Amino acid sequence: MGKRILTVDDSKTMRDMVRFTLSGAGFEVVEAEDGVKALSLLDGTRVDLIITDINMPNMDGVTLVKKVRAGTSHRSIPILILTTEGGDQKKAEGRAAGATGWIIKPFAPEKLLQVVNKVCPSS
Amino acid sequence: MNSDRPDTDEFAQFRQTFFEECAELLSALEEHLADLQERAGDTEELNAIFRAVHSIKAGAGAFNFTRLVSFSHTYETLLDALRDGQVHQSEAVTAALVRAADVLATLVEAAQEGRELAADFGEAEGAELAALLQQAGLARHTDTPAPDAVSAVTDDTSAKSASTRYSIRFAPFPELFRHANEPLLLIRELMRLGDVAVTCDTSRLPNLGALEPEDAYLAWDIEIETDRPLADLREVFEFVDEDCDLVIAPEAHLPVAEPIDDEESGTATMPAEATQTVPHPHLATTSQLPASTAETGGAGQAAVNQKSAGVTSIRVDLARVDRLVNVVGELIIAQSMLVQQSHSDAGDTPQLTTTQGFDEIATLTRELQECVMAIRMQPVKSVFARMPRMVRDISAKLGKKVRLVTAGEQTEVDKTVIEELADPLTHMIRNAVDHGIEPPEVRLADGKPEQGTVRLTASHAGGNIRIELTDDGAGISREKLFAKAVEKGLIAPDAKISDEEIDDLIFAPGFSTAAAVSDVSGRGVGMDVVRRNIVNLGGRIAMRSEAGKGTRFTLSIPLTLAVLDGMLVAVGREKYILPLTSIVESFKPDPAHVRALTGGGEVVFIRGEYIRLIHLSRIFGVSEAIPNAWDGLVVLVESTNNNKIGIVVDELIGQQQVVIKSLHDNFEPIPGISGATILGDGRVSLILDVEQLRRMPDHVSGRRERASAPCSDTGSAPIPSPEAEAPLAALA
């Protein structure tokens, strides 16, 4: 079965870009607009990797990471956070919450793929 | 702008989306700014404003709108400072924010139209924001970040250098896995950078009892030859940097490798500086390699080393496993044959040592068999995992809201069973969503939550796997089931049947409760097919439903199709096997407690309960069996729905593990019989199917009548009399 990746971002542009890049590389991509929607999607859905933005309405990325790690169904899956250059503080917060790694925005498609493959290889 | 980034042009197709989003974000920005003017310092408003500007910046970065990135970055920095309380919201600040929003809008517009703005456009507003930051002593990051970000993206241009050899010591801290990092993936990543030789250091592994399953214990010594710079190697470990001891040392720093003349020499092979920074208490056991690979320089050695790095499973052709299972099965038969032989040779008192020897062999064979069976066991997860997607697709199609909850995915069951489970489960879940769960408006009207729940759970119960599928949908009442069955001509309107027989009607061929044929569940395949699938697995399925509350299906399937713990019973000259898990007790009834019923059949009264008696001799037409229950034994057995029946046998011979041979494959299905096995003496014995026996009418036939039982599962088939052994012998 192909790997399924959940992209969580309030920006449709970002979700589209992530989807475009990853589905082109054979991943299945599912989307959520914020942490709350991501959690309800995760309930009962297998996901192999989460890529989440930090700044989102309703539930931000750091809280999402914490909740996923505290849950049962997906607590051992890799989670990548999207940060901007110089967002070291956010990176550290995400790390502390249990994030696996990070991707710096803006990213080139192959950079995104490289990082994704590092934590969740397509094969 | 950077024209040397053809890669991001792939994203150009998303520009339109971006600008649409910008329009939304800008109007949200304006709205929240207006609100902020009324509620100065409101965190919610500030957060919303920050997010809007931040999103614009992030998108702009992707499309390389540098001016937009640069301005929104300054803007965002001030907003962040406001959020943190480092800058206080004054009238001047608010005014600056509003002006900045206007600039941002114009910048977006210009980007969208591809229009060049005056070089100094927005400069004053940008400077104003920067000044406010400076006043607060925060002169940070106001310079344009875009070029940096961009160059960080294109990192593959680093000049190629001559290949260098590095020695890496990678020792994860126990908590490495908490961030879901996977060391093997990192090693794989390294392998893309150059030739890698890996040695796995298992010395930190504790005893199994002390092992914390979620801790990392392994460490790795890696030799890599690469033309990439050191920074690239470091980047591989970027995400685990804080969760491990990591030393990456160029080979040049290695002490001159000594020839390995004995094992001790290996102790000094790590780079000196590495041993200073990281203690290597276990180095002696693992470090022969780094130096020696350098010497032999062999790719062959590298391959060998890679192999040793944490391989925990292998893939084996299923046919080979099957062969193994079969051979072990034969071994068990041979073993019981041998035991029997020694008993008859030595009379009733075989030599003590012989008995002990046989006991030991029996234990070992049993263990061997369990090991072999364990190879075939797999978690049901592989089946369960397919279901959420299906539920999502179907519910979307039907406009229903359904949540699938699964539990017990790790429950293990034989691979064959897993494969056979997929179809019936898919069908049942599809049914549950299609017919069970009501449309959202109906649910709301009934005072139920809008979203329906379908629960799929697996657990072990004895030698069986128990799977439950529950939905909180409409359910169906027994009255309705009954009426439907009558309507379909499945039963007579005046038929007197028990509640649980009514529940079972849903599995009758030709029964479908769907009010209309939908393109989801379709027509044709009904629950009768589902039941046949389950029965073919030697399993049982039962349904219980309540109108308005929902429906529950309970499946009970043997963990393996290959072996069964059985009780060997004698009836006349015949021997049958009863599944041990179905047996509750056995007793010799008091003649006074056995009553004949007027319509034929017999019951026994035990502990205030009448239990139906089934004479195997009568059903299967066995001669020379004990005619009266009180002269023989009654074995009380229980079927799936906790229905008890008493099976009348002559005597219990003993408990035995038997290898199941399918009648379907080797002969033909027989009602009341689930399979056959070969006994130690080479004779074929039939395995009784308790549930089917319960459903069979009492065929009182002292004569050699070949009864054909009207059992819907299997159709009619001749009941084998003792003479039927001849064709069954082919099973061996």
Side-chain angles (χ1 to χ4, degrees):
Chain A
M1 199 188 288
K3 294 283 175 70
R4 187 181 296 152
I5 298 179
L6 168 62
T7 165
V8 191
D9 206 309
D10 54 339
S11 156
K12 181 164 170 1
T13 315
M14 278 295 156
R15 293 200 306 271
D16 279 355
M17 290 194 295
V18 170
R19 172 187 284 277
F20 170 78
T21 308
L22 295 177
S23 57
F27 291 98
E28 184 189 339
V29 181
V30 288
E31 300 178 12
E33 286 164 39
D34 59 45
V36 175
K37 295 208 168 97
L39 283 177
S40 83
L41 187 142
L42 284 172
D43 187 6
T45 308
R46 174 192 61 89
V47 160
D48 301 292
L49 168 70
I50 300 173
I51 301 175
T52 181
D53 188 23
I54 295 289
N55 288 294
M56 292 182 292
N58 299 326
M59 185 193 288
D60 68 9
V62 174
T63 314
L64 173 67
V65 175
K66 277 187 198 151
K67 298 237 178 200
V68 170
R69 289 284 181 249
T72 47
S73 61
H74 285 85
R75 68 190 178 103
S76 56
I77 66 164
I79 307 175
L80 296 171
I81 50 176
L82 287 171
T83 63
T84 38
E85 186 76 3
D88 287 346
Q89 191 198 333
K90 287 291 171 194
K91 209 153 87 177
E93 273 177 39
R95 246 334 258 169
T100 308
W102 52 87
I103 300 169
I104 297 188
K105 288 193 285 191
F107 50 80
E110 89 274 4
K111 177 71 187 176
L112 173 66
L113 270 178
Q114 185 201 328
V115 176
V116 165
N117 268 314
K118 199 153 112 181
V119 296
C120 174
S122 54
S123 55
Chain B
M1 285 197 193
N2 268 332
S3 56
D4 59 343
R5 291 177 60 211
D7 32 289
T8 34
D9 284 353
E10 287 178 48
F11 284 152
Q13 52 174 310
F14 300 114
R15 279 183 189 212
Q16 195 45 43
T17 320
F18 168 64
F19 288 121
E20 281 164 21
E21 205 165 9
C22 278
E24 285 169 30
L25 291 167
L26 286 170
S27 78
L29 178 62
E30 209 166 303
E31 217 172 282
H32 289 295
L33 274 175
D35 288 347
L36 187 72
Q37 278 169 311
E38 285 164 30
R39 290 196 291 274
D42 187 285
T43 333
E44 283 304 305
E45 299 297 340
L46 276 170
N47 276 336
I49 294 167
F50 177 87
R51 273 199 305 273
V53 176
H54 183 77
S55 288
I56 292 175
K57 181 183 113 173
F63 301 111
N64 240 357
F65 300 127
T66 37
R67 284 186 76 169
L68 189 51
V69 171
S70 162
F71 187 83
S72 51
H73 181 72
T74 312
Y75 197 172
E76 179 194 85
T77 309
L78 178 62
L79 286 165
D80 203 21
L82 269 165
R83 284 202 304 187
D84 292 352
Q86 290 167 300
V87 172
H88 289 286
Q89 197 193 334
S90 59
E91 295 244 334
V93 170
T94 314
L97 291 179
V98 173
R99 273 195 292 276
D102 291 342
V103 172
L104 201 63
T106 312
L107 284 169
V108 167
E109 202 182 290
Q112 185 167 15
E113 293 166 2
R115 179 159 49 95
E116 276 297 318
L117 290 163
D120 62 348
F121 177 79
E123 211 171 63
E125 289 84 355
E128 191 180 3
L129 298 175
L132 286 166
L133 278 166
Q134 236 150 16
Q135 281 168 26
L138 299 161
R140 49 164 196 165
H141 297 313
T142 40
D143 52 330
T144 159
D148 289 352
V150 167
S151 67
V153 165
T154 49
D155 62 346
D156 282 351
T157 46
S158 36
K160 296 224 165 180
S161 54
S163 104
T164 319
R165 197 174 263 281
Y166 294 92
S167 168
I168 303 171
R169 167 75 186 177
F170 170 44
F173 296 148
E175 54 272 17
L176 177 96
F177 294 132
R178 309 245 156 104
H179 292 114
N181 273 300
E182 171 55 79
L184 296 182
L185 291 181
L186 301 181
I187 292 172
R188 195 168 125 160
E189 192 69 17
L190 275 178
M191 287 159 91
R192 301 193 320 140
L193 300 182
D195 288 335
V196 172
V198 187
T199 318
C200 180
D201 175 1
T202 56
S203 56
R204 295 192 303 184
L205 264 183
N207 289 330
L208 198 55
L211 189 131
E212 288 292 334
E214 301 199 346
D215 281 0
Y217 293 103
L218 301 178
W220 288 268
D221 290 307
I222 304 156
E223 286 273 303
I224 179 168
E225 186 168 339
T226 178
D227 50 13
R228 304 293 196 97
L230 183 63
D232 281 11
L233 295 184
R234 290 213 175 277
E235 201 194 331
V236 168
F237 294 97
E238 180 186 27
F239 296 159
V240 293
D241 225 7
E242 295 162 29
D243 291 333
C244 70
D245 280 328
L246 180 68
V247 180
I248 304 181
E251 169 115 306
H253 296 189
L254 280 168
V256 179
E258 291 159 30
I260 19 166
D261 35 34
D262 61 26
E263 303 201 352
E264 260 68 51
S265 74
T267 45
T269 48
M270 277 307 281
E273 60 170 51
T275 22
Q276 279 157 15
T277 31
V278 189
H280 290 288
H282 312 299
L283 210 53
T285 57
T286 55
S287 57
Q288 295 94 321
L289 283 151
S292 62
T293 32
E295 283 224 325
T296 52
Q301 176 130 23
V304 171
N305 294 340
Q306 278 168 28
K307 218 178 231 171
S308 67
V311 177
T312 56
S313 70
I314 54 164
R315 297 171 79 93
V316 180
D317 188 353
L318 197 58
R320 292 190 190 184
V321 178
D322 286 342
R323 167 116 187 87
L324 187 60
V325 172
N326 260 327
V327 171
V328 172
E330 301 301 322
L331 179 67
I332 291 171
I333 293 170
Q335 180 232 337
S336 63
M337 230 185 249
L338 204 55
V339 173
Q340 222 156 44
Q341 193 58 42
S342 82
H343 273 271
S344 51
D345 284 353
D348 282 341
T349 52
Q351 289 288 310
L352 187 63
T353 46
T354 318
T355 320
Q356 277 175 346
F358 277 133
D359 282 351
E360 207 146 302
I361 291 177
T363 316
L364 288 174
T365 341
R366 176 110 196 181
E367 200 176 316
L368 176 63
Q369 196 195 5
E370 272 166 16
C371 293
V372 171
M373 296 320 295
I375 297 177
R376 295 182 53 94
M377 295 298 232
Q378 288 188 341
V380 286
K381 200 172 166 184
S382 56
V383 180
F384 279 23
R386 306 179 202 172
M387 303 305 166
R389 176 110 196 251
M390 189 189 74
V391 169
R392 245 199 347 270
D393 291 352
I394 298 176
S395 48
K397 205 167 181 177
L398 294 170
K400 294 183 180 180
K401 294 195 171 170
V402 185
R403 190 169 71 112
L404 179 72
V405 182
T406 57
E409 290 105 325
Q410 292 304 330
T411 313
E412 289 195 339
V413 65
D414 194 282
K415 180 163 170 50
T416 324
V417 177
I418 289 196
E419 284 162 5
E420 299 294 323
L421 260 179
D423 278 353
L425 274 185
T426 308
H427 188 78
M428 288 164 67
I429 291 176
R430 197 176 284 159
N431 269 344
V433 177
D434 192 5
H435 307 317
I437 304 289
E438 315 90 326
E441 59 277 10
V442 176
R443 291 184 63 88
L444 285 172
D446 288 350
K448 290 184 179 182
E450 189 182 23
Q451 189 183 44
T453 304
V454 175
R455 188 176 291 273
L456 179 65
T457 63
S459 57
H460 278 156
N464 291 320
I465 179 169
R466 182 187 170 92
I467 295 176
E468 276 195 5
L469 179 71
T470 321
D471 69 66
D472 65 351
I476 182 164
S477 67
R478 288 190 172 130
E479 291 73 28
K480 211 168 159 191
L481 269 171
F482 188 87
K484 188 94 184 173
V486 171
E487 184 193 317
K488 298 260 169 186
L490 296 170
I491 48 169
D494 56 350
K496 287 223 171 353
I497 57 174
S498 68
D499 282 355
E500 138 244 330
E501 279 168 318
I502 296 176
D503 290 344
D504 265 8
L505 285 171
I506 200 164
F507 302 112
F511 191 99
S512 165
T513 53
V517 174
S518 70
D519 66 336
V520 172
S521 292
R523 167 180 269 157
V525 187
M527 290 305 291
D528 56 321
V529 177
V530 168
R531 175 158 75 176
R532 196 168 322 135
N533 284 337
I534 302 297
V535 168
N536 286 348
L537 290 169
R540 300 274 158 262
I541 179 167
M543 191 268 311
R544 176 76 192 92
S545 184
E546 208 172 320
K549 292 262 178 74
T551 307
R552 175 166 69 230
F553 287 96
T554 310
L555 285 79
S556 174
I557 300 162
L559 288 182
T560 162
L561 300 179
V563 194
L564 174 91
D565 274 314
M567 174 64 75
L568 199 58
V569 299
V571 180
R573 292 194 297 125
E574 285 301 298
K575 285 174 184 163
Y576 295 96
I577 308 279
L578 267 171
L580 207 58
T581 46
S582 65
I583 298 179
V584 181
E585 62 177 320
S586 67
F587 58 94
K588 212 173 180 67
D590 189 322
H593 287 161
V594 180
R595 310 260 169 86
L597 301 177
T598 36
E602 247 175 37
V603 292
V604 64
F605 186 74
I606 175 170
R607 288 190 292 269
E609 212 181 336
Y610 284 102
I611 307 274
R612 182 174 157 222
L613 286 181
I614 289 180
H615 287 261
L616 291 179
S617 57
R618 295 179 196 172
I619 286 187
F620 295 132
V622 183
S623 60
E624 294 165 40
I626 293 169
N628 298 318
W630 52 88
D631 291 328
L633 274 175
V634 170
V635 184
L636 194 63
V637 293
E638 205 172 47
S639 64
T640 337
N641 277 346
N642 301 334
N643 296 304
K644 288 177 194 152
I645 52 169
I647 293 178
V648 181
V649 302
D650 294 4
E651 61 170 324
L652 300 180
I653 299 171
Q655 193 177 324
Q656 193 173 346
Q657 193 174 44
V658 298
V659 180
I660 303 172
K661 306 276 179 183
S662 159
L663 279 182
H664 285 260
D665 299 347
N666 298 303
F667 184 51
E668 56 181 280
I670 302 167
I673 302 294
S674 64
T677 190
I678 300 158
L679 298 178
D681 60 5
R683 291 219 305 170
V684 170
S685 176
L686 299 176
I687 300 165
L688 297 171
D689 186 319
V690 173
E691 178 64 21
Q692 280 185 21
L693 282 175
R694 192 181 66 78
R695 294 158 179 276
M696 288 168 73
D698 305 271
H699 268 254
V700 187
S701 62
R703 302 159 311 226
R704 282 293 180 79
E705 184 181 277
R706 295 203 161 196
S708 57
C711 185
S712 58
D713 290 338
T714 45
S716 59
I719 301 296
S721 63
E723 284 76 40
E725 269 168 39
L728 285 173
L731 298 180

